[in-house]
Amino acid sequence: MTGTRGRRRTTLAVALALIAGLGATVPAQADDPAYPFRNPNLPVEKRVDDLLSRLTLDERISLLHQYEPAIPRLGIQSFRTGTEALHGVAWLGKTTVFPQAIGLASTWDPSLIRQVGSAVGDEARGFQQQRPAGWGLNLWAPVVNLLRDPRWGRNEEGYSEDPYLTGSISTAYGTGLTGGDPNHLKTAPTIKHFLANNNEEHRDTTSSELRPRVLKEYDEEAFKPAIEADAATGVMSSYNLVNGRPNTVNPAMDDTVRGWTSQDLLNVTDAAGPGNLVGSQKYYGTQSEADAAALKAGIDSFTENDADSGPTTTAIKSALSSGLLKESDVDTAARHVLSIRVRLGEFDPGGGTYGSIDASVIDSPQHRALARKAATEGAVLLKNDGALPLKKSGSAAVVGPLADTLYTDWYSGSLPYAVTPKDGIEAKLGTSVASSEGVDRIALKDTATGKYVTAGTGDAGAPLKETTENGAGAQFDVYDWGSGVVTLRSAANGKYVGYNWSNFVNDQTQPNGWFVQQQFKLERQDDGTYLLRYAGYETGESWWSNPVYLGPVDADGTLGLVARDKAAHYAKDVVRSGIDDAVAAVKGRDTAVVVVGSMPAINGREAHDRTDMGLAPSQEALVEAVHKANPKTVVVVENSYPTTLGALQKEVPALLWTTHAGQETGNALADLLYGDANPAGRLTQTWYRSESDLPSILDYDIIKSNRTYLYYKGQPLYPFGYGLSYTTFRYGGLQRVPDGYAVKVANTGRRAGDEVVQLYVHQRESRDKQPLKQLKAYARVSLKPGETKTVRLKLREADLAHWDVTRSKWVVETGTYDVMVGASSTDIRARTSLGVRGETIPPRDLSGVTRAENFDDYSATSLVDESKASGTAVSASADGAWLKFADTRLGSGASAVTARLAGAAGTLEVRLGSPTGRLVGTAHFDGTSSPYTYDTVTAALTGARGRADVYLVLSKGLRLSTFTLR
């Protein structure tokens, strides 16, 4: 077994001895095909030993960068980590684009997700014959960060706010990507981003504070299943810090993650993560120190400086020469890299098990059908007052800003074709339908000169100018994406206007790019004119110092960036009202379908969180006007996150939610709207009524702040697990079976449909605060009208465990547990109770060394790094900060407190019963020069006896690592 780092260490001498033992199998020439590392009949470990022993130190070091060079003398080709494959292969050209990750998870269908993963793996393999730039079989997917806050800009990349659901979906997707055999990998998926990465704002300098229960019960539980099932071959470290330590040097990658599997893992950094250690994070003084620490923490491959491996290899060599690293540290990481490459079949004849897959699989008919199925299964019916399904015999209008377009996101592949909602409905009905995007077409006239803002008419566009033209070249369609941000599409050529660092040009098919430069704001002035403000993403960066307003900068009227006092004042002439146009399209139609939602590059994405979760105001106004003009209005919300729908969800008769679902979006929506498919997607997150229901996005303590369906006590707009159907289901009683529970589910309606049967548990009595409900099993089951099936849901007593901070172990408590089965977390149809004879958590014993982080409650404290290498301490952020250690047995009396302290001078008080309760002792601390230099202080205790809640009250700036009461 190779489940620990120590067991994987094989010295060069041992490897050479192994080679010597192979005798006649060792060829004279290193590139001989009979060479042991090329022998697929040998165990992976022996092949790696063989290859590692053949490499020079420089060659082994070269393996530790994202771009691994070829080694011609061994006939080894170059290798690259990091092909993006979140919902299809990305950035390599046209490939099958599946629904965004959250849409895949909304299917609650692991068997389907495994098929999708397999298809994506096939397409990644399909590029191997051509080896285009950016190609590689180490895939950076899936994302398993928990969606605890719907404002997270990367919500579209994750699966769920629930760790069990996230674990099951990621395992299914990863198993499809790997092919299901850990020794013969189709691809090598890397799950990201480890750990607790759920905010984009200052993501490289903010610290996610994870108390032990949140760490063990929540965040780690999302990562563990795929690694444990060998459905992933490593983790990517995230940019953020956890408890004060950058995740690039998080020792849990080695100490914890590698303990989840007996297979070698290849752990990688996120792009530029190593540089942050000496840059924005200032955690180390030199790159050699930083890279050495990352390697020792469990990183094997450095993603830094793009294709230039020089700085990384130089830093590692410097660390070796200075004693920061040993050669065995390099060998350990190189072994992990080579294990993956061997298992990928790189050194097998013909490329191994999957070596024959070629480009014919890319966007194949089978994958197109699978994309349609996934897009259909992932849509969620939020509301239906009998308006759906629609009749194919009726007339229809399809309106809205997303009615006749499909948007892709940052991690999408290029669409090989696009079936828009309008396209899909027209194909379904066999006729054209009325349509309107419902957006205003405007002209902007400079009130000082009378000239119009004009764009180029050719396909490539042209820099915007002020001219006397007032035709199509001076007209722009205005798309409102909320928060005041709009995009401008030129009526002259149908292209979006964006900034190219010099000019503003109408040359983009959709908003895109790392800095999304197609964003503007029309700022109304008191005199009724408007200033045109540039609102590209880079304007929010600290280094941006340019003006942000538009005005003429050349004699020919070319527009550029000017100071506010030089900005042009524009009259906004509405050439065509979007609402009026949409209303005209829907009047007299049997049905109006309004498609509204988000633009993935604008409404939050990597590096940008959302400030609100509502629909754009003009989109709400559009829906209201269309519904007033045609009461038979159904609304499709197409975005990537829970939405605060305001009055909309009360007024319209039907609401269907879909994520941006790829090339087959329109066909899937048409199938659902017209009843050829029955909606069965379920929400994987709580949909809140307002942003005010949420604390700060930087608050990671879901237990204390009552976040997610697990702890949220309010009334959600739509609950976790929610979704409607065109049919109805009846549940029988719960029956205990050897491996869990069984329940009979009957389709009592007239249509075939899928029900997602969900099993939740709740612990009635506990020493610790427990979730209100917690998902433990689910099954998506297909039922014909009148059909009944018995659904079996696995539940073991071990599944009821939670993390006991008093003893740092998993524990199943003795007690009564509610077992509930239903159609959502709030729609429980059957329940029973389960009596468990487990453990009783004893009173705390603080007479031994107790880690401060293992508190039960806290106030005005932060979790910080005990040292740069390992450990967590507690820092007081204000005088009077406190930690609670509940139900402590002090016996006949503790006479002294001993504490390990660092940081500012101050006091540590020991109180009983409350933070202001009886004072039994005070320790005085003189302070240390470094937050990582700890001194031990001792103080006498008086009257500390019996059984009580113990509170440690700290003065500001004090860091507490461990303590003892004796």
Side-chain angles (χ1 to χ4, degrees), residues 344-399:
L344 282 168
E346 179 180 347
F347 310 121
D348 292 359
T353 306
Y354 302 101
S356 63
I357 298 175
D358 60 26
S360 65
V361 301
I362 298 172
D363 189 38
S364 66
Q366 294 83 359
H367 291 180
R368 291 183 175 192
L370 189 62
R372 182 169 181 166
K373 180 177 175 63
T376 304
E377 283 201 16
V380 182
L381 183 60
L382 299 176
K383 180 182 180 181
N384 186 22
D385 288 348
L388 295 175
L390 302 174
K391 295 180 180 179
K392 297 176 187 175
S393 59
S395 59
V398 186
V399 302

Side-chain angles (χ1 to χ4, degrees), residues 91-131:
W91 305 356
L92 296 182
K94 293 182 178 181
T95 57
T96 307
V97 179
F98 293 94
Q100 291 176 307
I102 189 174
L104 293 176
S106 298
T107 67
W108 292 61
D109 190 344
S111 63
L112 173 64
I113 301 308
R114 180 169 180 167
Q115 294 176 56
V116 172
S118 182
V120 176
D122 285 347
E123 297 202 7
R125 278 278 178 176
F127 284 101
Q128 70 177 335
Q129 312 297 346
Q130 302 166 345
R131 292 175 68 89

Side-chain angles (χ1 to χ4, degrees), residues 775-856:
L775 182 72
K776 291 296 181 181
Y778 67 91
R780 180 162 173 151
V781 56
S782 298
L783 294 165
K784 299 173 183 176
E787 184 180 11
T788 299
K789 287 184 179 179
T790 298
V791 181
R792 296 176 72 99
L793 300 160
K794 291 184 178 180
L795 181 69
R796 306 167 302 157
E797 286 194 0
D799 297 330
L800 304 174
H802 77 278
W803 188 255
D804 173 20
V805 294
T806 72
R807 297 173 293 172
S808 295
K809 59 177 279 190
W810 290 99
V811 60
V812 177
E813 289 183 280
T814 295
T816 301
Y817 295 74
D818 294 315
V819 180
M820 300 159 281
V821 169
S824 79
S825 59
T826 61
D827 185 5
I828 301 302
R829 307 289 185 88
R831 66 175 64 228
T832 189
S833 61
L834 173 64
V836 174
R837 296 184 65 181
E839 295 184 59
T840 298
I841 298 176
R844 274 191 184 271
D845 180 2
L846 301 181
S847 63
V849 175
T850 300
R851 297 205 62 81
E853 65 179 309
N854 285 327
F855 50 73
D856 290 294

